[in-house]
Amino acid sequence: MKKSLLLVISLLFLSTIYAQNNNPDLFSKIEKAFNEEDYEFIIKNKAQILKHKNQQSDSISAELLYFLGDAYLAYDSLDKALDIMQIELEIRKQLSNVDPVLIADIHNNLSYYQQLNNQIKLAKSYINKAGEIYKENLGTDNLAYVESKIKLAKIHNILDEHKEAIHIYEQLLENEFAKQNYLHIINKELGLSYFDLGFYTKSEEILENNFEFIKKNFGKESIEYVEALVTLAIPYYARSNYSESELLYNNALEVLSKISAYKTLEENIKNNLALLYWKIGLHKEAVEIFEEIINDQKSLENASKYSNYAQNLIAVNQKKKALKYFDEALGIIQNILGKENELYIRVLKEKALALNQSNDLDNYYKLMKESFSASQEILEKSNPEYSKYELKWGIANFRMNNIKKAEKHISSAYKLRSKYLNKNHPLYAETSKELAELTWFKNNPKKAKNYFNETFDNYFAQIEAYFPALSEQQKANFYINTLRSTFEEFNSFAIAYHKKDPDLLGEMYDYQLATKGLIMYATAKARKNILNSDNPELKEKYQNWIGTKELISQLYSMSEAELEQQDLKLDSLTKVSNDLEKELSRASSDFADAYVAKNFNWKDVQAKLKENEAAIEMIRFREFTPDSSGLFKDKVNYAALLIDKKSKHPKLILLENGLELENKYIKNYRNAIRYKVKDNYSYDFYWRPIAEETQNYNKIYFSPDGIYNQISINALYNTNTDKHVLEEQNIQLLTNTKDLIAYREQNSNSNLASAPALFGFPNYNKGIDESNEEGENTASDIVENASLNRGLRGSLQRYIRGNALVTSLPGTKEEVDQIESLYKNSNFSNPKTYLENDADEIQLKSVKNPQVLHVATHGFFLEDNETKNTDEEDKYSENPLLKSGLIMAGANSFIATGLNQDARQDGILTAYEAMNLDLNDTELVVLSACETGLGDLKNGEGVYGLRRAFQVAGADAIIMSLWSVDDEATQELMTAFYQNWIGGKDKLTAFNEAQKTIKEKYKSPFYWGAFVMVGE
């Protein structure tokens, strides 16, 4: 420790003659050992050194004690070293003619080591004394004095004495010597001091100017530049400029990796970055970083890391582990600083919130009270940090039903934030949300509505600000983890008061328009903006990103041995992809309007409806009441909001049995389909309440949510009329009813699209050498049956981990042949047809904006129970877009041998890959395969699977299936559809009439009801 950390000290070595006259043997031996760094020898002679000190407190004793103190430092025995150094100081102070600068140097060193020993107040006393001595003996224009004042100011900040620190730094800025030699250090620390005091704008101004100074004078590959990046990121983070803050942290880490090993600085940067990720809901990324940097050192820095880590553990529901780290942090802070400091009460506040999550309400309230009481003594009321304690104490009282106290403190926090923060700051939304709940609880819906609206205006500003800097997955994490629950709360509020204020249903509809499919629309629009831009560099970067994603998709199908052999790391490549995606967002001004969510309302949708048409937004939400301690009830509701041309406000159709719809009833529905038995119940559960309000409309635009994404509404059977919905109502499925606006404002893309592309009858054995024994066995295993089941749910799991084979589908060849013939006999463009070996993944990925893309093959969707296994390296279960896809030519080559028959394909087009297809001008995608409409349900975002992938890729409308389909019946359905459509009927009519035709031959919905069309 001593050689690298000991500060400069002016040593007065005595002459050899003088030493010899006093204790020649002891002094010369100790001095020699010191020069040779034989510290063990010095420590072994400790008793003799102390004996000499007791006999004679002279310069020799002081010098011997100096040697002994340094020896202890070399062995990291800090407590023992400090004891010896203190004795040395007392001796030197008593000597005549001692150099006062030497005394100051010892005070300086003692301050440094006392701070290392977590004796902060003692360290402050020593450095203050050192500064006084330097000033008295050297003046103020010297290194020793200036550095002592900077160290003193830093200690003031540690002790929450920020005004004292600022006073010192501003005095130093009047010192010409200090300005000339330490300007960048003083301004950095001054900016951070103003930040700690809550003056974020002033802090940012100082740090930005300092950043430019450092960039100019030190360059971009210096430790000073790294520190400037990190410090500037801090006020950016505080005013919620997360994208810029993240960029600065990552830049700092990149520069740091090039110049040298600064482990502590690197860990501190990562701590800040992880905290940022936690703040915007990227919990997985945050946990990974924290687990990399956490160690067992009992320092204030580590205590702060413990607290930050614990907050994130709460977010990922590891409450017990979180409480352990909170207690570790509190113990360290109390031991070093005591309890009367901002760091301690901040951690105490976070621990209280963790106890609330664990339903330990008594201790939650007790700790929150202690934290708030201390904050009143420690923090300035003007500091935005203080508002956090006001708010959390108000919430604690709200949870404990102390309503008057709750209102007082939440309102106080709201006023503070209104005064010191702008309305788009996330902290502002925290208070307006709580006031919405509180005024709702007090049965004041007018005020509650206003507070909810304020909150959502803030949320949409956050979306617009943050989305451009996030990958798609990060967008989802941010929205789901930080914003979505409040929209769910509002749905319960609107339904509770809609009879008194019918406009609430209109607002409920508007917020659903703005948020349903939010991530998908943002991704699709940003993609389209790039491809339509005139920026060649941006397009090239986009293609590089697509290429990276293609490589990732290949790696997912490789074994660990193959990955190791090719020296490719899936995790690091995924990070490269995410970074490229975020860079694209930042680089393109075309992205500016890609994230504006709140741009339509229900009246805009109404204006596009024709007479006798209706639009329905289905909304799934958990039930919430303001007296539920801030927690959602164990109840799920579905609200169908209905509008037509004459609506003054949306009409509510409420289904309050959502959990049954998602569990018991859906099982009955699926069993009826699977076993081809008449379903006498599902219509009543899922559709009758809606049908009773919509039976007189000529057409219904229906936007499903939740479990309704897995229901084929046309196939529901009405026992009262002995008919299916297909025969009674005309329903058009939309992802979001705002799509109706876009469809009716835009011209058809067909004039921009290329010829239709038809894929079918893939040769799954492409690439297998049939001359060998394995090939012969493989070929004999292929069943040539015209009515095979196209489902691959069970065997796809074996495809991933075993040697099951994919059977051919001759019906798909007849299907494609007949569709091709229909096109050729019409006035439409002749299609490009890909059969057998040509129906492979490479050809499918190469299509460019076909008017129609038709794919007839096996499809698959793996449910969670099919992807779970003991293999920790199984990445399929992590990404929902890898659990559904299409099987193309060559798949059996991979299945049988474990090797790809081509470096660019494995015969499996996953939804992850389909998202990269170029379908911007494609009118219709037909996925004539099993389960292509299934995927992971993400409430408010629809289905993460092939449907989403092809929508992001640009398709206007998609026909897809919800269960395993029969080969022959599917071929007849598709042929009938194209015959109707090419014959002049609109897509929906053509599709519905094709289903009716097939229904005449196959009575069970199993055969004709699996396929649904989404879009227009």
Side-chain angles (χ1 to χ4, degrees):
M1 174 191 281
K2 175 258 168 191
K3 287 297 179 184
S4 61
L5 295 177
L6 185 61
L7 303 181
V8 177
I9 185 168
S10 302
L11 299 178
L12 298 179
F13 287 95
L14 303 179
S15 69
T16 304
I17 295 174
Y18 183 79
Q20 289 173 348
N21 289 336
N22 287 272
N23 194 334
D25 290 336
L26 178 63
F27 186 86
S28 60
K29 288 177 183 178
I30 297 298
E31 182 185 33
K32 181 175 183 290
F34 180 82
N35 292 331
E36 293 175 354
E37 299 185 3
D38 186 0
Y39 303 120
E40 184 179 358
F41 176 83
I42 297 172
I43 292 171
K44 283 181 179 179
N45 284 275
K46 174 184 176 181
Q48 290 205 49
I49 293 171
L50 294 178
K51 179 180 179 182
H52 183 278
K53 186 269 300 182
N54 292 332
Q55 291 175 347
Q56 191 171 353
S57 294
D58 55 11
S59 297
I60 290 292
S61 295
E63 211 58 32
L64 288 171
L65 290 168
Y66 166 73
F67 294 145
L68 179 60
D70 262 19
Y72 277 125
L73 288 176
Y75 278 90
D76 289 337
S77 298
L78 190 54
D79 287 335
K80 292 180 180 179
L82 285 168
D83 289 341
I84 298 299
M85 291 166 69
Q86 183 62 49
I87 298 170
E88 177 200 355
L89 175 62
E90 295 305 318
I91 291 175
R92 291 194 187 277
K93 284 163 66 175
Q94 295 170 16
L95 295 174
S96 59
N97 300 320
V98 67
D99 185 352
V101 175
L102 173 61
I103 301 299
D105 287 343
I106 296 174
H107 278 87
N108 196 337
N109 281 356
L110 278 166
S111 173
Y112 177 77
Y113 287 113
Q114 289 290 8
Q115 193 170 341
L116 280 183
N117 203 35
N118 295 321
Q119 299 297 318
I120 308 301
K121 291 181 180 179
L122 198 53
K124 173 184 168 184
S125 173
Y126 279 120
I127 196 64
N128 189 46
K129 184 64 177 177
E132 290 174 357
I133 298 173
Y134 287 138
K135 182 178 180 180
E136 182 179 347
N137 292 274
L138 300 176
T140 59
D141 295 339
N142 60 83
L143 176 151
Y145 172 77
V146 173
E147 288 196 353
S148 71
K149 299 304 284 185
I150 291 173
K151 293 166 191 169
L152 176 60
K154 287 183 177 180
I155 292 175
H156 277 308
N157 276 325
I158 292 172
L159 296 172
D160 295 326
E161 298 163 356
H162 307 302
K163 287 185 178 180
E164 290 87 343
I166 289 170
H167 179 68
I168 291 173
Y169 290 129
E170 290 181 341
Q171 276 190 326
L172 288 175
L173 288 176
E174 296 175 3
N175 180 322
E176 288 301 319
F177 178 86
K179 283 177 65 177
Q180 185 175 351
N181 295 280
Y182 292 91
L183 182 63
H184 68 287
I185 295 174
I186 295 169
N187 276 327
K188 178 188 78 172
E189 298 300 336
L190 179 62
L192 292 175
S193 298
Y194 272 115
F195 175 82
D196 289 337
L197 198 59
F199 293 175
Y200 298 154
T201 302
K202 190 169 183 66
S203 168
E204 188 174 322
E205 180 184 352
I206 293 170
L207 293 175
E208 282 181 341
N209 290 335
N210 199 45
F211 176 77
E212 294 302 323
F213 176 86
I214 289 173
K215 186 165 60 173
K216 179 180 178 181
N217 290 278
F218 292 88
K220 292 185 177 181
E221 292 194 356
S222 64
I223 192 64
E224 291 82 4
Y225 183 74
V226 172
E227 291 179 339
L229 288 166
V230 174
T231 52
L232 183 55
I234 292 170
Y236 282 2
Y237 170 84
R239 66 175 176 85
S240 68
N241 191 344
Y242 298 131
S243 59
E244 287 301 315
S245 188
E246 182 195 16
L247 197 61
L248 291 172
Y249 286 138
N250 283 327
N251 193 357
L253 289 171
E254 183 180 353
V255 176
L256 198 62
S257 68
K258 297 176 182 177
I259 57 177
S260 187
Y262 291 87
K263 185 174 175 58
T264 301
L265 178 56
E266 180 185 357
E267 288 183 352
N268 289 341
I269 297 170
K270 288 181 176 180
N271 171 70
N272 291 359
L273 185 60
L275 190 61
L276 184 153
Y277 285 153
W278 165 77
K279 190 69 175 178
I280 60 175
L282 309 182
H283 301 142
K284 180 181 177 183
E285 291 93 331
V287 165
E288 289 175 353
I289 295 174
F290 280 127
E291 291 180 347
E292 177 188 342
I293 63 175
I294 287 293
N295 58 61
D296 58 359
Q297 292 179 6
K298 305 299 183 183
S299 65
L300 289 176
E301 284 184 345
N302 217 39
S304 192
K305 290 172 190 171
Y306 283 171
S307 175
N308 295 340
Y309 182 38
Q311 289 180 71
N312 208 85
L313 290 171
I314 290 294
V316 296
N317 208 31
Q318 295 186 42
K319 298 168 187 173
K320 187 175 180 180
K321 188 175 180 181
L323 290 171
K324 169 181 171 286
Y325 276 100
F326 279 130
D327 287 338
E328 288 275 354
L330 288 168
I332 293 171
I333 300 163
Q334 184 176 351
N335 184 51
I336 297 172
L337 298 176
K339 293 184 175 183
E340 302 302 318
N341 61 85
E342 201 276 330
L343 181 57
Y344 184 86
I345 63 171
R346 187 196 322 155
V347 178
L348 197 67
K349 167 172 64 71
E350 298 303 335
K351 181 185 176 183
L353 295 174
L355 291 169
N356 183 38
Q357 292 284 325
S358 302
N359 290 319
D360 186 353
L361 296 184
D362 290 339
N363 282 315
Y364 156 64
Y365 188 78
K366 176 184 175 183
L367 293 190
M368 198 60 77
K369 182 178 182 179
E370 183 182 343
S371 175
F372 172 69
S373 297
S375 74
Q376 292 181 296
E377 302 297 325
I378 293 170
L379 293 172
E380 299 277 345
K381 301 297 186 292
S382 60
N383 190 335
E385 289 298 309
Y386 174 74
S387 70
K388 295 179 181 178
Y389 296 90
E390 281 271 19
L391 177 63
K392 299 305 182 185
W393 177 232
I395 294 172
N397 279 286
F398 189 13
R399 300 295 174 258
M400 303 300 286
N401 209 32
N402 300 327
I403 305 305
K404 284 187 178 180
K405 270 191 177 182
E407 186 169 21
K408 174 187 173 183
H409 293 289
I410 295 173
S411 296
S412 178
Y414 177 80
K415 289 173 184 175
L416 280 169
R417 293 180 178 184
S418 298
K419 183 176 181 180
Y420 294 106
L421 303 173
N422 70 59
K423 289 196 172 185
N424 291 340
H425 197 289
L427 292 181
Y428 185 89
E430 285 183 3
T431 52
S432 57
K433 170 186 176 292
E434 291 299 330
L435 283 173
E437 291 181 15
L438 183 62
T439 49
W440 174 8
F441 179 83
K442 294 181 67 178
N443 198 27
N444 190 338
K446 185 176 181 180
K447 274 193 174 182
K449 176 180 173 180
N450 289 338
Y451 285 127
F452 271 123
N453 289 337
E454 275 191 55
T455 303
F456 295 142
D457 287 343
N458 179 289
Y459 282 4
F460 290 123
Q462 288 189 54
I463 289 168
E464 191 172 349
Y466 306 153
F467 267 34
L470 302 176
S471 67
E472 183 184 26
Q473 186 57 52
Q474 289 177 331
K475 292 183 189 80
N477 289 343
F478 166 64
Y479 172 70
I480 292 168
N481 292 331
T482 61
L483 307 182
R484 187 179 70 182
S485 62
T486 312
F487 287 105
E488 287 190 88
E489 289 182 22
F490 179 80
N491 292 334
S492 289
F493 167 75
I495 287 173
Y497 288 102
H498 77 278
K499 291 181 180 177
K500 292 182 181 179
D501 182 3
D503 288 341
L504 282 169
L505 295 180
E507 293 187 25
M508 185 176 173
Y509 197 118
D510 293 346
Y511 290 132
Q512 186 72 355
L513 287 181
T515 59
K516 183 185 279 187
L518 174 66
I519 317 301
M520 186 198 73
Y521 285 111
T523 301
K525 189 171 183 180
R527 176 185 182 278
K528 200 162 193 172
N529 284 347
I530 291 175
L531 295 177
N532 292 338
S533 76
D534 296 324
N535 186 334
E537 292 181 3
L538 189 61
K539 288 183 176 180
E540 182 181 359
K541 189 169 289 186
Y542 177 79
Q543 292 305 324
N544 289 339
W545 175 56
I546 294 297
T548 305
K549 292 182 72 180
E550 283 294 316
L551 181 55
I552 289 171
S553 70
Q554 292 175 31
L555 298 189
Y556 274 120
S557 64
M558 289 184 182
S559 67
E560 287 302 303
E562 289 175 302
L563 288 173
E564 187 175 341
Q565 184 179 10
Q566 299 193 31
D567 195 27
L568 293 169
K569 300 295 183 184
L570 187 57
D571 291 341
S572 59
L573 199 60
T574 301
K575 183 180 183 304
V576 169
S577 174
N578 288 339
D579 289 345
L580 268 174
E581 187 178 351
K582 291 188 283 187
E583 194 177 338
L584 281 167
S585 296
R586 291 191 181 101
S588 173
S589 60
D590 292 328
F591 275 55
D593 66 344
Y595 307 100
V596 180
K598 195 180 177 184
N599 49 5
F600 294 115
N601 59 46
W602 72 270
K603 291 185 178 179
D604 295 321
V605 176
Q606 182 185 49
K608 297 299 177 181
L609 293 173
K610 298 175 182 177
E611 294 294 333
N612 293 321
E613 288 186 343
I616 296 176
E617 274 294 340
M618 181 62 81
I619 306 174
R620 179 204 187 270
F621 61 97
R622 295 168 295 169
E623 189 166 297
F624 181 89
T625 58
D627 60 349
S628 60
S629 297
L631 304 175
F632 285 92
K633 292 188 172 182
D634 188 22
K635 183 181 180 184
V636 171
N637 295 332
Y638 279 83
L641 296 182
L642 167 69
I643 61 172
D644 61 22
K645 199 71 177 173
K646 298 177 181 178
S647 297
K648 293 183 179 179
H649 49 75
K651 186 171 192 174
L652 172 66
I653 305 165
L654 184 63
L655 288 75
E656 299 184 85
N657 59 340
L659 289 177
E660 289 180 303
L661 293 176
E662 295 173 355
N663 293 283
K664 181 171 70 174
Y665 298 153
I666 195 66
K667 291 177 182 177
N668 295 337
Y669 167 80
R670 289 170 178 164
N671 285 335
I673 293 293
R674 181 180 296 114
Y675 298 113
K676 305 179 184 65
V677 298
K678 186 172 287 188
D679 183 352
N680 294 323
Y681 305 103
S682 294
Y683 178 91
D684 291 337
F685 298 143
Y686 293 102
W687 195 248
R688 187 177 296 283
I690 298 172
E692 289 173 351
E693 301 293 340
T694 58
Q695 56 190 352
N696 294 325
Y697 293 108
N698 294 335
K699 189 172 186 179
I700 303 158
Y701 293 96
F702 182 71
S703 170
D705 198 7
I707 199 64
Y708 280 81
N709 283 294
Q710 297 187 351
I711 298 292
S712 175
I713 294 170
N714 276 347
L716 296 176
Y717 174 67
N718 184 351
T719 55
N720 290 352
T721 61
D722 194 27
K723 292 181 179 179
H724 293 86
V725 174
L726 174 67
E727 302 163 280
E728 296 186 323
Q729 294 185 285
N730 185 21
I731 300 169
Q732 173 73 62
L733 297 180
L734 300 174
T735 300
N736 185 317
T737 55
K738 73 179 178 183
D739 290 345
L740 189 60
I741 302 167
Y743 291 140
R744 292 193 172 174
E745 285 180 352
Q746 296 175 356
N747 295 323
S748 171
N749 290 332
S750 59
N751 59 328
L752 302 173
S754 59
L758 310 178
F759 287 79
F761 194 49
N763 176 16
Y764 303 121
N765 291 322
K766 178 182 177 182
I768 292 180
D769 183 3
E770 295 188 10
S771 65
N772 61 34
E773 182 178 351
E774 180 183 32
E776 290 170 4
N777 289 339
T778 300
S780 66
D781 285 340
I782 298 173
V783 182
E784 300 293 341
N785 187 316
S787 186
L788 295 175
N789 185 309
R790 297 187 192 186
L792 203 58
R793 297 181 69 180
S795 60
L796 188 66
Q797 182 183 8
R798 296 190 297 276
Y799 147 71
I800 295 171
R801 303 183 186 90
N803 292 312
L805 298 175
V806 184
T807 54
S808 66
L809 296 168
T812 62
K813 182 178 188 304
E814 184 177 354
E815 179 180 317
V816 170
D817 286 343
Q818 291 192 23
I819 295 169
E820 181 183 37
S821 177
L822 288 169
Y823 269 109
K824 287 182 176 179
N825 292 326
S826 70
N827 295 324
F828 290 90
S829 300
N830 286 339
K832 295 180 180 179
T833 303
Y834 305 90
L835 295 169
E836 300 186 61
N837 286 351
D838 291 333
D840 65 10
E841 194 179 349
I842 294 175
Q843 292 287 2
L844 184 52
K845 289 178 179 177
S846 69
V847 297
K848 302 290 183 185
N849 296 312
Q851 180 195 3
V852 175
L853 173 62
H854 184 100
V855 186
T857 184
H858 282 295
F860 67 88
F861 165 61
L862 295 177
E863 292 182 324
D864 284 343
N865 63 343
E866 294 172 325
T867 57
K868 288 178 181 176
N869 71 97
T870 57
D871 183 1
E872 293 183 0
E873 301 298 333
D874 179 19
K875 301 293 184 181
Y876 273 82
S877 61
E878 296 180 6
N879 189 332
L881 294 177
L882 291 167
K883 297 196 290 186
S884 59
L886 301 169
I887 310 298
M888 305 305 294
N892 275 340
S893 174
F894 176 74
I895 296 168
T897 66
L899 300 173
N900 297 343
Q901 58 93 15
D902 187 290
R904 295 171 292 168
Q905 63 172 332
D906 55 15
I908 312 297
L909 183 84
T910 62
Y912 180 83
E913 296 168 285
M915 200 162 52
N916 300 329
L917 296 176
D918 190 352
L919 305 177
N920 273 349
D921 301 313
T922 298
E923 186 177 349
L924 176 67
V925 169
V926 180
L927 303 178
S928 181
C930 288
E931 302 177 329
T932 49
L934 297 183
D936 279 5
L937 281 180
K938 306 287 184 183
N939 296 313
E941 271 296 305
V943 179
Y944 270 68
L946 285 169
R947 168 183 168 181
R948 178 191 181 85
F950 280 98
Q951 283 179 302
V952 169
D956 283 347
I958 303 170
I959 293 177
M960 57 197 178
S961 62
L962 297 177
W963 56 77
S964 296
V965 294
D966 180 81
D967 193 31
E968 183 177 338
T970 299
Q971 174 260 309
E972 293 178 20
L973 174 68
M974 293 301 167
T975 303
F977 163 67
Y978 279 97
Q979 194 167 22
N980 294 337
W981 188 31
I982 292 172
K985 295 175 181 175
D986 66 80
K987 287 194 292 291
L988 180 62
T989 303
F991 180 69
N992 286 345
E993 291 194 2
Q995 283 190 313
K996 291 175 184 177
T997 299
I998 303 306
K999 182 178 179 297
E1000 292 300 314
K1001 180 176 180 180
Y1002 303 97
K1003 301 300 181 184
S1004 172
F1006 171 83
Y1007 295 97
W1008 56 266
F1011 286 93
V1012 296
M1013 185 170 78
V1014 178
E1016 175 132 346

